Amino acid sequence: MIPDNALEVRGLCKSYELFSIENVSFDVPVGCITGFIGPNGAGKTTTIRIIMDMTLKDAGSVRLFRQEKVVERNTDIGVVMDVPFYNDDWTVRDIERGIAPFYPHWDSTTFSGYLGQFGILQKKKVKELSRGMKVKLQIAVALSHGARMLMLDEPTSGLDPVARDEVCYLLPEFASGKGKAVMFSTHITSDLEKVADRIVFILNGGIVCAGDKDALLGNYVLVTGSPDDVDVECSRMIIGYRCQGPRSRA
């Protein structure tokens, strides 16, 4: 039986000297692309690192496909980070040789197919690949070991618009597979407008809102004006406030 949620995060807390995330809770439903948004430093990467057991949490729980055990979780997640963790001097062929033994469902034919689709040569070294090609290489790896969920952390940051579109348009096909889901963390909201079904918004270490993308777009708007236009009642309704010289943005 396929669960309704691929990922369930409940009451997640982590404190550092100058930053913390507090009581972070959200779901990533099966069959959906969930955008995880917020400005740089809002807590997106910290949350993802906890989900991946790369950072220890202070409190809370993480369940992926109803599993809390580390090994069972991590074989089900395909991870795409902003910077790959591959050795720069490894060739693409070396990467497969090094990674495949850790995944019981590794499919070399699928991996080769994605390399061909992306135009990545197996003899190329990681350091010889462009930023966009490195992202696509991570996607090829993530899609070749039987992952049921893709976890992407700022993969399109720094890419040109064409490369960003190529990455984004791969996600709906994956999410439409039986029992699969995508969590896409980014501060580039235009990418999510193209492909996301749901949005989770984190700010200053806490979840501000979460829900259907179209509903959120209908309920929240950007307003501009002078500081004199913002009274006490209005200020209670503002999520973000930014001053820009003689004008202010709320």
Side-chain angles (χ1 to χ4, degrees):
M1 181 178 177
I2 298 173
D4 293 333
N5 294 319
L7 177 69
E8 297 175 348
V9 177
R10 296 289 182 270
L12 215 58
C13 298
K14 178 67 179 181
S15 294
Y16 296 99
E17 184 177 355
L18 299 176
F19 175 76
S20 65
I21 61 171
E22 298 289 343
N23 197 32
V24 168
S25 300
F26 61 88
D27 297 325
V28 176
V30 166
C32 290
I33 299 174
T34 297
F36 191 38
I37 66 171
N40 289 333
K44 300 189 302 297
T45 296
T46 297
T47 302
I48 289 175
R49 289 179 65 87
I50 293 173
I51 292 171
M52 293 300 303
D53 287 298
M54 297 169 66
T55 296
L56 295 177
K57 62 184 181 292
D58 294 337
S61 65
V62 176
R63 286 166 55 90
L64 181 75
F65 295 106
R66 299 176 177 163
Q67 299 291 342
E68 291 191 47
K69 294 182 179 179
V70 175
V71 174
E72 293 170 342
R73 280 217 313 263
N74 289 353
T75 55
D76 275 333
I77 300 180
V79 182
V80 180
M81 308 295 283
D82 58 340
V83 178
F85 292 107
Y86 307 139
N87 188 311
D88 278 347
D89 288 317
W90 281 9
T91 65
V92 174
R93 186 178 292 109
D94 292 334
I95 289 171
E96 180 178 16
R97 291 170 178 166
I99 290 177
F102 292 95
Y103 294 103
H105 303 297
W106 180 265
D107 190 327
S108 185
T109 300
T110 297
F111 183 63
S112 296
Y114 279 114
L115 294 182
Q117 178 180 335
F118 297 151
I120 302 174
L121 300 177
Q122 295 202 27
K123 65 181 180 181
K124 282 276 191 178
K125 291 185 177 181
V126 172
K127 64 184 178 184
E128 297 173 329
L129 299 176
S130 67
R131 169 94 168 84
M133 286 297 186
K134 289 178 181 178
V135 171
K136 291 177 184 177
L137 175 58
Q138 290 185 85
I139 291 175
V141 170
L143 296 177
S144 299
H145 63 73
R148 293 192 286 167
M149 179 173 174
L150 285 185
M151 180 82 68
L152 303 100
D153 186 17
E154 301 282 1
T156 57
S157 178
L159 298 186
D160 63 75
V162 173
R164 281 165 49 196
D165 284 346
E166 288 177 339
V167 171
C168 289
Y169 291 144
L170 289 168
L171 304 182
E173 180 179 358
F174 177 87
S176 66
K178 184 177 181 181
K180 295 184 177 181
V182 175
M183 180 174 170
F184 187 176
S185 167
T186 183
H187 64 276
I188 305 174
T189 55
S190 59
D191 288 343
L192 296 178
E193 289 175 6
K194 300 172 187 174
V195 298
D197 303 298
R198 293 174 53 82
I199 297 293
V200 176
F201 179 27
I202 187 170
L203 182 67
N204 297 326
I207 301 299
V208 174
C209 58
D212 179 78
K213 179 190 71 177
D214 293 334
L216 290 175
L217 288 175
N219 291 331
Y220 295 90
V221 296
L222 176 70
V223 296
T224 60
S226 72
D228 295 335
D229 297 326
V230 182
D231 57 24
V232 175
E233 182 178 353
C234 181
S235 66
R236 296 194 185 105
M237 303 171 63
I238 297 174
I239 293 176
Y241 182 87
R242 184 171 63 197
C243 291
Q244 296 180 322
R247 294 178 61 83
S248 299
R249 175 170 294 183

